[in-house]
Amino acid sequence: MDNLFLKIISLENLFGSWEEFKSGKRKKRDVQEFEQSLENNLFKLHYELKNKTYQHSNYTSFYVTDPKLRHIHKAVVRDRIVHHAIYRVLYPLFDQSFIYDSYSCRDDKGTHRAVNRLALFSKRASKNYTETCFVLKCDVRKFFDSVDHEMLKGLIRATVKDADTLALVDSIIDSFGKDLGYINSGQMSLDFASPKGMPIGNLTSQLFANVYLNDLDCFVKHTLKAKYYLRYCDDFLILDPDECKLAEYKQKVRDFLKAKLKLDLHKDKVSIRCLTQGIDFLGYIVKPHCRILRTKTKKRMLKRVGKKNLPSYLGLLSHCNGYELEENVKALVDGMEPKE
């Protein structure tokens, strides 16, 4: 980990971060404005980082529905390039310590691999669907709003020792809520002694989320010794033939989250279901021998599908048993009446 800070702020890394950041954003006005004086902007950013005069700007706040309502905080272009620069250098350091079955925002992982893994776990835990299997499904309550800044910094310091890198990372963490207090469980507060929250829009937040929840992963895998466990961001599942064992796991996980990470489970999004009922996970319903699209996802697809987004929707359907739905989607795009 020699010269971590120098790697992060190097011109090579900043230009590489720009190349990654601009992908798919070239038509955005703020990106175009930054690109008009690209070299000057990046050299200035490098100078400020090198001389410790860099300061993170305030965020622009807005809401999106994807499908549930999310509060997004968007940083300015120069700050997002810094986020990418940090991510490019720190991600490999942390990723090697993550468990295999953590699937959010990691290379060669993602939603489809997570759903495939769930299907494999379902088959194994039920002994090829010949025995009853149950699934504990959990959701961390208001995770991004609840991340404790000081705890996150401590977890990062367990891996990163370089003082300059830590100072820069701290500035990114503390940039959220610096002008508003902090966001705690969705409410604004003026308690600066215990800042909380991470902006959903930051690339660094994706890495920090895995760093923060890695202790949960290790607790479930190594202390509870749950054989069939997987997590995607703040959603996670445990499969087991013993329903009573899963009930015990639920309480132990809740106690661990409160005591160690200052988090809690969402009371309305924790359930223990039999595998044959179908497991709702990442847009799909996984059942023995089949996988179908979630009803809400299906309705949203039929409402929004068009020629431009048809390929992406067909790709989504390729990961489940969706032949009839695929035909209906194609019919809609062609101006025909879909089948019932």
Side-chain angles (χ1 to χ4, degrees), residues 118-135 228 239-242 274-276 287-289:
L118 171 58
L120 177 62
F121 280 178
S122 300
K123 187 175 182 179
R124 289 177 175 174
S126 64
K127 295 184 179 179
N128 203 22
Y129 310 121
T130 62
E131 296 183 4
T132 303
C133 175
F134 297 92
V135 182
Y228 302 112
L239 291 76
D240 198 275
D242 188 339
C274 185
L275 175 62
T276 55
K287 295 183 176 183
H289 306 294

Side-chain angles (χ1 to χ4, degrees), residues 142-157:
K142 295 186 180 296
F143 170 67
F144 280 92
D145 288 347
S146 304
V147 169
D148 183 276
H149 285 198
E150 295 309 310
M151 184 163 291
L152 174 59
K153 292 175 185 177
L155 292 170
I156 292 171
R157 278 162 169 74

Side-chain angles (χ1 to χ4, degrees), residues 125-126 131-136 228 238-250 272-273:
S126 64
E131 296 183 4
T132 303
C133 175
F134 297 92
V135 182
L136 169 62
Y228 302 112
I238 306 176
L239 291 76
D240 198 275
D242 188 339
E243 186 177 9
C244 293
K245 182 185 290 187
L246 291 181
E248 293 177 6
Y249 283 169
K250 179 177 70 173
I272 298 176
R273 295 169 60 90

Side-chain angles (χ1 to χ4, degrees), residues 105-321:
C105 306
R106 297 181 64 194
D107 294 345
D108 299 320
K109 299 289 183 176
T111 58
H112 295 133
R113 287 181 182 269
V115 176
N116 288 342
R117 188 68 164 172
L118 171 58
L120 177 62
F121 280 178
S122 300
K123 187 175 182 179
R124 289 177 175 174
S126 64
K127 295 184 179 179
N128 203 22
Y129 310 121
T130 62
E131 296 183 4
T132 303
C133 175
F134 297 92
V135 182
L136 169 62
K137 186 175 186 291
C138 298
D139 180 288
V140 178
R141 181 178 181 272
K142 295 186 180 296
F143 170 67
F144 280 92
D145 288 347
S146 304
V147 169
D148 183 276
H149 285 198
E150 295 309 310
M151 184 163 291
L152 174 59
K153 292 175 185 177
L155 292 170
I156 292 171
R157 278 162 169 74
T159 298
V160 178
K161 307 300 180 182
D162 178 68
D164 290 335
T165 299
L166 291 172
L168 179 58
V169 169
D170 287 354
S171 73
I172 301 299
I173 295 171
D174 292 334
S175 67
F176 185 59
K178 66 180 181 180
D179 56 335
L180 298 172
Y182 71 85
I183 297 178
N184 183 13
S185 300
Q187 302 295 322
M188 300 310 299
S189 170
L190 296 179
D191 181 3
F192 289 95
S194 303
K196 291 180 181 288
M198 292 193 304
I200 294 176
N202 281 8
L203 178 63
T204 47
S205 295
Q206 299 175 9
L207 172 61
F208 295 159
N210 281 330
V211 171
Y212 205 85
L213 291 174
N214 189 52
D215 276 4
L216 168 65
D217 297 339
C218 294
F219 172 74
V220 175
K221 292 295 293 181
H222 305 313
T223 302
L224 298 183
K225 299 188 183 302
K227 187 175 182 179
Y228 302 112
Y229 165 81
L230 61 90
R231 179 178 62 80
Y232 188 94
C233 196
D234 55 351
D235 294 327
F236 57 95
L237 305 170
I238 306 176
L239 291 76
D240 198 275
D242 188 339
E243 186 177 9
C244 293
K245 182 185 290 187
L246 291 181
E248 293 177 6
Y249 283 169
K250 179 177 70 173
Q251 188 56 50
K252 289 179 179 179
V253 165
R254 176 175 275 119
D255 293 342
F256 176 85
L257 287 172
K258 288 182 177 180
K260 299 295 184 180
L261 298 176
K262 300 183 181 180
L263 299 172
D264 198 2
L265 294 177
H266 197 300
K267 64 178 182 179
D268 298 324
K269 295 183 180 180
V270 176
S271 63
I272 298 176
R273 295 169 60 90
C274 185
L275 175 62
T276 55
Q277 294 177 279
I279 307 305
D280 187 342
F281 189 56
L282 301 178
Y284 297 96
I285 306 296
V286 176
K287 295 183 176 183
H289 306 294
C290 77
R291 183 187 315 171
I292 59 177
L293 210 59
R294 178 192 291 163
T295 301
K296 288 183 178 179
T297 307
K298 173 183 174 181
K299 290 181 177 179
R300 190 167 67 253
M301 175 187 297
L302 293 173
K303 183 178 180 180
R304 298 180 180 179
V305 68
K307 290 184 178 181
K308 289 185 177 180
N309 60 21
L310 178 61
S312 62
Y313 280 135
L314 293 180
L316 187 68
L317 290 170
S318 70
H319 294 275
C320 66
N321 303 83

